[in-house]
Amino acid sequence: MMTGRTGKWMGSLLVMLAVTQFYSFFSAIYGYFMNTTDYEFIWNFWVIGILACLLLTAGLLLIRTNTFKIPALVILPLFILYLGFSVYMYQWKLMQEYEGIPFNFTNTILLILAVLVFVTLFFVKGDSEADLLNVSDKRKKKWRLSAISAALISAGLTIWAITLLINEFRHPTEESETAFRFSADFDAVFAGFSVLIFALVIFVSFRKGSYLLAGITLAIGLLFATNYLWFDQWMRYAAENSLQLGSGENRIFGINLLIAFFCFSIRYLSISREESVKACPTFLFSRIFTQYFV
């Protein structure tokens, strides 16, 4: 059993993993219904959708109860096995066949995070009362205002990105000649969803932090950050091979990087004001070694 805030932190991370899978699932659904050409909805997408629902359920149980970690310990190995299979079959093998082609590390990062969450849930017993320190009201107020400010900036940046995407797909610029190559119209839909989440964060932060919203915000930040890294790799590849790629899209992915930074800030600020630094994941991971190997 887990006590204190450990279960809530891990539940928040499970929600983050679930949202990243929902992103892939709904992206596939959107492509299936909006694409005018033949679009095959393969079995992988159904597995992703089911795993996303299971991860979200396990995360919500941990956030609500703080202690019920059995569903997470059952679901995470299934998710790790599937993601490991996907990374090997559809990324590492292809990378070996097409040497030099940029590699998208999103699923690899998610796989590592999932393993860390599973190990933490399996080994770490949780927080004792001594690990949780009272935070002064003055400090809570500063964190609350900082979280609200970060959410406002994120919302503003995201609306800017939506505007650029909509304008480009309606009226491609001479610089890009055609609509963006690395950005799709679903990115505008996801950005709109992100704005709604930032608005909820602003509203909820006036009262207290939300582990559910923190997990969703972290997922948004991770997706924006990994998309930027993928785009950056393609730009380096294009420069090395004298290719013209991503013309006009640099601004969009620069905005994505800024959004990711503020999302990570929101995730920390909106939760840390409720608890001691001792409840953070870094401390939790280190406890595995102090409890079992020291």
Side-chain angles (χ1 to χ4, degrees):
M1 290 293 185
M2 285 190 167
T3 59
R5 304 281 184 176
T6 308
K8 291 184 180 294
W9 271 101
M10 295 300 102
S12 180
L13 292 176
L14 284 172
V15 169
M16 179 271 291
L17 293 173
V19 172
T20 60
Q21 300 312 295
F22 276 125
Y23 173 85
S24 299
F25 180 68
F26 285 114
S27 174
I29 291 178
Y30 185 88
Y32 179 78
F33 286 104
M34 300 300 292
N35 203 316
T36 56
T37 59
D38 293 335
Y39 188 96
E40 186 179 358
F41 198 88
I42 58 178
W43 65 271
N44 304 59
F45 297 136
W46 291 115
V47 175
I48 289 172
I50 293 170
L51 286 173
C53 292
L54 293 175
L55 286 168
L56 180 62
T57 302
L60 292 175
L61 285 172
L62 273 173
I63 291 173
R64 184 174 179 80
T65 65
N66 246 2
T67 58
F68 195 42
K69 62 179 182 178
I70 295 177
L73 290 175
V74 174
I75 294 164
L76 275 172
L78 298 177
F79 177 68
I80 291 168
L81 286 173
Y82 171 75
L83 205 58
F85 169 79
S86 297
V87 168
Y88 175 73
M89 291 297 297
Y90 303 114
Q91 292 187 315
W92 286 109
K93 286 188 70 175
L94 289 177
M95 188 174 64
Q96 293 173 0
E97 292 179 13
Y98 301 97
E99 188 175 352
I101 295 295
F103 182 74
N104 191 331
F105 287 95
T106 303
N107 283 340
T108 305
I109 294 172
L110 292 175
L111 179 62
I112 294 171
L113 288 173
V115 171
L116 289 175
V117 172
F118 177 77
V119 170
T120 303
L121 285 171
F122 192 83
F123 286 102
V124 174
K125 296 178 181 178
D127 313 308
S128 65
E129 292 299 322
D131 293 327
L132 299 174
L133 305 177
N134 292 326
V135 181
S136 67
D137 291 337
K138 185 177 181 181
R139 193 175 181 184
K140 284 184 179 182
K141 184 178 180 180
K142 289 182 179 179
W143 277 336
R144 180 173 66 248
L145 293 176
S146 298
I148 292 171
S149 299
L152 281 170
I153 295 171
S154 297
L157 289 169
T158 309
I159 292 171
W160 184 15
I162 293 173
T163 303
L164 291 175
L165 285 169
I166 292 175
N167 288 338
E168 179 63 26
F169 279 100
R170 284 185 176 179
H171 308 288
T173 61
E174 293 181 0
E175 183 182 14
S176 61
E177 295 182 357
T178 58
F180 290 154
R181 296 185 182 184
F182 293 91
S183 302
D185 46 358
F186 180 76
D187 292 318
V189 176
F190 179 69
F193 165 77
S194 302
V195 172
L196 293 177
I197 295 300
F198 297 143
L200 283 174
V201 169
I202 293 168
F203 177 76
V204 172
S205 293
F206 280 105
R207 299 181 59 188
K208 63 178 183 178
S210 168
Y211 284 89
L212 173 61
L213 288 177
I216 298 174
T217 304
L218 182 59
I220 293 171
L222 181 64
L223 289 168
F224 277 123
T226 52
N227 284 341
Y228 170 82
L229 292 174
W230 178 68
F231 175 78
D232 182 66
Q233 288 184 78
W234 270 106
M235 292 303 97
R236 294 176 185 273
Y237 176 81
E240 292 172 359
N241 294 275
S242 301
L243 300 175
Q244 292 294 327
L245 291 176
S247 178
E249 287 188 82
N250 302 61
R251 181 183 297 178
I252 284 287
F253 283 92
I255 294 172
N256 287 351
L257 183 61
L258 289 174
I259 295 171
F261 171 77
F262 285 106
C263 282
F264 296 145
S265 300
I266 292 169
R267 197 265 178 258
Y268 175 78
L269 294 168
S270 62
I271 297 303
S272 295
R273 68 186 183 84
E274 302 291 332
E275 58 196 26
S276 165
V277 176
K278 284 190 175 183
C280 71
T282 304
F283 178 72
L284 296 177
F285 295 143
S286 68
R287 298 183 68 176
I288 295 172
F289 300 98
T290 59
Q291 287 180 1
Y292 295 93
F293 301 106
V294 178

